[in-house]
Amino acid sequence: MLKCGVRIIYFALITKVMTEMTKSPISSCPSCGRPTPAGTRCIYCSTLNDLDLQNLQLEKIRPSETELQEEGVPRSVVVIEKTGQKVPLRSLKMKIGRDPSNQLVVQEDTYASRHHAWITYEDGDFWIEDLGSTNGTLLNGHPVVRRQRLAAGDKIRVGHTELTFQIENN
């Protein structure tokens, strides 16, 4: 009983302090429910409120072989080194992580975050960006600390999973 009361008081105190500090409305993180200033990242679970998550989830993005390539996106794949599985990039965005809503799911890798990284196609280039993952993302052995351009043959490491980025020639 005491623990529950302490939690309620703690939650109320944190909410009050955050409201006074930010002078902006407080909302709850959709993943963990912790108080978070509206329109900002949840610092506890690295859920990004500013991602186009609704669009990504609508795509249910483990596309079947029969789906069409999104117009303007060059044919490219990410190869999972351990299994040799090739996952095609068919849209402008590909999320990578343990969560089943990702286009590339690394289920057995407990070192990968639920929403670990994403690959995007913008202005004629492919890019990789870490999504605030716990263990970080490596590109050719170097940490991805900001969005970085991808080239054919680049090695990506998400948790303990090794991936290779490839652009297919038609």
Side-chain angles (χ1 to χ4, degrees):
M1 184 69 175
L2 183 60
K3 282 187 178 182
C4 182
V6 170
R7 286 184 185 158
I8 292 171
I9 292 170
Y10 175 75
F11 183 79
L13 180 62
I14 292 296
T15 304
K16 182 179 179 186
V17 169
M18 289 178 71
T19 304
E20 289 175 7
M21 287 176 55
T22 61
K23 297 296 182 194
S24 65
I26 299 296
S27 64
S28 295
C29 173
S31 295
C32 66
R34 289 186 173 103
T36 306
T40 61
R41 297 177 181 202
C42 174
I43 59 173
Y44 298 102
C45 66
S46 299
T47 299
L48 305 179
N49 294 331
D50 56 347
L51 289 179
D52 189 6
L53 291 177
Q54 182 180 14
N55 196 20
L56 288 172
Q57 288 173 346
L58 288 177
E59 293 172 11
K60 265 307 187 206
I61 355 190
R62 220 177 293 130
S64 68
E65 292 299 318
T66 59
E67 287 188 45
L68 297 175
Q69 183 82 9
E70 191 169 317
E71 190 175 330
V73 179
R75 293 202 178 275
S76 53
V77 295
V78 174
V79 179
I80 302 172
E81 291 298 321
K82 185 176 181 180
T83 63
Q85 177 187 4
K86 293 183 176 185
V87 181
L89 280 86
R90 297 185 190 266
S91 64
L92 297 175
K93 299 173 186 170
M94 172 191 259
K95 262 191 357 179
I96 305 167
R98 284 191 342 262
D99 194 274
S101 68
N102 294 311
Q103 289 91 351
L104 197 159
V105 179
V106 288
Q107 238 170 358
E108 296 98 33
D109 190 344
T110 58
Y111 289 91
S113 296
R114 289 177 296 134
H115 302 287
H116 198 101
W118 68 354
I119 295 173
T120 57
Y121 182 75
E122 297 174 34
D123 302 324
D125 289 312
F126 286 98
W127 299 85
I128 186 155
E129 186 174 0
D130 185 83
L131 298 177
S133 64
T134 303
N135 294 312
T137 303
L138 299 179
L139 177 61
N140 297 322
H142 301 285
V144 175
V145 292
R146 64 185 185 333
R147 189 171 89 137
Q148 293 185 348
R149 186 174 286 122
L150 282 173
D154 278 348
K155 301 290 184 187
I156 302 165
R157 186 175 177 117
V158 172
H160 284 176
T161 304
E162 295 282 341
L163 309 168
T164 301
F165 178 74
Q166 295 177 350
I167 297 176
E168 295 180 337
N169 296 327
N170 290 339

